[in-house]
Amino acid sequence: MQKSVVLFKKSVKALRNVGFAIIGSALVVHSAHSISTGNNLPDIGTAGLSALTLEKERDVGDITMRQIRGSYPLLQDPALQEYLESVGYKLVTAGSTPVHPFTFFLIKDPNINAFAFFGGHVGVHTGLFMNADTEGQLASVLAHEIAHVNQRHLARRMESQMDMQAATIGATLGSILLTVLAPQAGIAALQTTLAASQQMSINFTRKNEAEADRIGMQTLVAAGFDPYAAPEFFGKLAAQYRFASKPPAFLLTHPVPETRVADAQLRAQQFPRKAYPQNIDYQFAKARIEARYSGRSSKAVIQRLEQQIARKEYINKDAALYGLALAQFDDNDAKAALETITPLAKKYPRNLFLVDSLTDINMKLKQPEKAEERLKGFYGYMPDNQVIALNYANILIEQEKSEEAIEILKLYRQSRPDDLLAIQLIGDAYSQIGNTGQQYSAKADGYALMAQYEQAIAMLERALRATPVKDNIEVVKLEAKVRQYRNELARLKTL
């Protein structure tokens, strides 16, 4: 789907400039990683509870996620998001009972990194896909981050430091969240804040990393992924950046000494080696990121992929062809893209990556009827799927069938209220039919999702002025939303 979120676009700033504005005044807690004793799992039912309740942890995670939406280049790509969630939730359901509902999101950043923070949020840089050779390697990193969340390492670390003065604890939370999200800046801030306890912090991190490695491996195997993928990926990173003066962000927060690689290898050896088939969805996801989000020009991508295909230097030919089709489309050659992707669509008729790309191609070639017919068929049995629902709504809007699109998006937002792309689309649909009040209301929802509540309230006030008084039900709903966002703004000061 070729559509980016622009209604609420805000320039990307370093997290220290964003400042986690809510942290300085509202959050007087500490975080990051904690102690694991022996081989038994810690009592996570009580661990960290005296420092941070589960409810408070979710509140902190929710607000942090809102700050990230307004400050980081989140990737609004339904096909990639759907794939990431499919892997993430497969791991979540295979592991121990989660302490939080999980949220997975992508950041457009070529650096190798993945991170987890309060409330079950897991972020993944596109650079991780570009450097992981297999789906198992990607899954091994996600399993590790899921273990951090389920073991409540951030909350447990806070508990270990409860003897710190409140002011220092508050400053430390900001520094540690910054370290998770922007390691170079965060480590500098953390060193300033915790100069006296720096060694203790390092020790807690090492112990938690070992615990997350162990539990992550168990989850990886339970979900049906290759256990040897973990030591393979760790070993690859260790060898690739052994002498680098500036290691990737992932290695700043997840150091990989030789002992860690060896431990991962020993854990994997408890399981028999066997062949794991390639997942074409992972290969398509990797190809999509390399073709569209690597920073290379579409012409450069086309040249490289054509050479690889001619010389048979690809890992997976179908994935190479898919990447080529995307690059051709991005180079404004939709006819060539259609010719390249058509055999793949026949081979994988229900693959969502191909459905998404074919929709873009049909639109570019002025063939919206073909895309609408295809998407209508899929929507009949998977209405909640983000690739199908968002593409279908977008096609309908392009054909000025906004009333139908609004119904689809209303239903979709019941299960995915935090989808910024859906909010933009429904705003576009309301604008097309001249419903200015609901258009402003949608913009308000977008601002709220980035913790910009004052802007959200201003938009709702505009929505109220644009809504006829006789439309009493909508007026009441808008007034209720104004009260909600004012309460949310006040709540930031009470966490």
Side-chain angles (χ1 to χ4, degrees), residues 402-441:
S402 287
E403 298 278 4
E404 295 178 50
I406 288 169
E407 293 306 311
I408 289 170
L409 291 166
K410 280 183 177 179
L411 180 62
Y412 174 79
R413 290 193 64 206
Q414 289 179 12
S415 59
R416 291 180 178 270
D418 296 346
D419 192 316
L420 281 172
L421 192 52
I423 290 173
Q424 175 170 329
L425 286 171
I426 201 167
D428 291 346
Y430 278 122
S431 175
Q432 191 175 83
I433 64 174
N435 191 332
T436 308
Q438 288 303 308
Q439 179 189 0
Y440 286 144
S441 179

Side-chain angles (χ1 to χ4, degrees), residues 282-303:
Y282 175 73
Q283 298 300 328
F284 282 165
K286 186 178 174 73
R288 188 179 182 95
I289 287 172
E290 290 178 338
R292 186 158 279 173
Y293 305 114
S294 66
R296 303 185 185 96
S297 70
S298 54
K299 291 187 184 301
V301 173
I302 290 170
Q303 183 179 15

Side-chain angles (χ1 to χ4, degrees), residues 30 61 106 313 370 382 423 426 436 456 490:
H30 188 330
L106 280 160
E313 295 174 347
K370 289 185 178 181
M382 48 196 312
I423 290 173
I426 201 167
T436 308

Side-chain angles (χ1 to χ4, degrees), residues 200 245 254 285 363 441:
M200 180 172 61
S245 58
H254 302 75
M363 289 178 66
S441 179

Side-chain angles (χ1 to χ4, degrees), residues 2 13 18 28 76 118-119 155-156 195 243 275 360 393 441 450 460 462 466 481 485:
Q2 283 282 295
K13 302 177 182 177
V18 173
V28 286
Q76 303 293 333
F118 293 116
R156 288 163 56 198
F243 304 109
D360 291 339
S441 179
M450 297 187 291
L460 289 174
R462 293 176 70 177
K481 194 180 287 189
Y485 288 160

Side-chain angles (χ1 to χ4, degrees), residues 1 12 59 75 184 220 295 304 341 399 447:
M1 184 172 180
V12 178
D59 284 341
L75 194 58
Q184 293 284 5
L220 192 69
R304 181 175 59 83
I341 206 171
Q399 298 184 88
Y447 281 123

